[in-house]
Amino acid sequence: MSNLPDLTIDLPTDREITLTRSFDAPRDLVYAAHTQAEHLKHWWGRGNPLDVEIDFREGGHYRYVEHADDGNDYAFRGEFREIVVPERIVQTFEFEGMPGRVAVETLLFTERDGRTTVTGTTRFETTEERDGLVDSGMAQGAAESYAALDRHLATLR
């Protein structure tokens, strides 16, 4: 589909979007940054202040509230369906501003030569839901969040 700096975006099917980004950090650290509140609060909401509630276990839930520069709060929630440490996370994802539209995300973490690639595929109920997210500016937001993650990881090395 398109690329932003360091982020590749693909539409592999009519109901999926895939985001791929590599980080100069070991897989265990990148995985921890996706699963622990003390890391998530530094990067997930594009680096904006973030409230994080997370019960990281299969059947556990999460809720993130981003306090954005525009003065609004944006809340997201989901449930962890499958966890394979440090390789894979399958979780639901719902933007509370559009309740009832629940997508399923699969995050894969692969390491090669000290670099970790995160491949996230999100499956929507309909093509319209996927296209709505694509049109919402989600790609730019994801690129900003991953840039914030890159900065956070650099402080941990």
Side-chain angles (χ1 to χ4, degrees):
M1 178 184 153
S2 68
N3 294 314
L4 290 167
D6 304 318
L7 180 67
T8 302
I9 303 162
D10 293 305
L11 304 176
T13 72
D14 64 348
R15 295 192 303 150
E16 292 178 318
I17 184 169
T18 298
L19 305 177
T20 306
R21 173 73 150 71
S22 292
F23 299 92
D24 187 21
R27 178 168 69 173
D28 288 346
L29 185 56
V30 176
Y31 192 89
H34 280 78
T35 62
Q36 297 174 7
E38 61 266 28
H39 294 301
L40 286 159
K41 67 182 182 179
H42 290 284
W43 71 269
W44 195 88
R46 300 175 289 169
N48 289 326
L50 188 74
D51 297 331
V52 177
E53 299 170 23
I54 187 168
D55 177 14
F56 188 66
R57 61 180 176 83
E58 289 185 6
H61 292 83
Y62 70 88
R63 184 170 188 261
Y64 309 145
V65 180
E66 175 190 358
H67 305 286
D69 290 339
D70 63 10
N72 291 310
D73 292 341
Y74 299 96
F76 305 84
R77 65 180 172 212
E79 176 185 332
F80 298 104
R81 292 186 170 177
E82 180 185 340
I83 296 171
V84 181
V85 179
E87 301 170 10
R88 176 182 166 97
I89 302 168
V90 179
Q91 63 193 23
T92 61
F93 178 86
E94 180 179 11
F95 171 49
E96 290 182 6
M98 298 175 65
R101 295 187 175 180
V102 179
V104 177
E105 294 182 327
T106 300
L107 298 172
L108 300 176
F109 300 81
T110 55
E111 183 177 354
R112 182 175 180 169
D113 298 328
R115 289 186 58 82
T116 301
T117 299
V118 179
T119 303
T121 300
T122 304
R123 183 169 182 79
F124 299 87
E125 289 294 317
T126 67
T127 301
E128 293 75 24
E129 286 181 17
R130 183 209 57 190
D131 292 350
L133 186 66
V134 169
D135 294 340
S136 75
M138 168 281 309
Q140 184 63 38
E144 291 170 8
S145 288
Y146 273 155
L149 174 56
D150 213 24
R151 290 189 300 274
H152 177 63
L153 291 169
T155 69
L156 302 173
R157 292 195 278 278

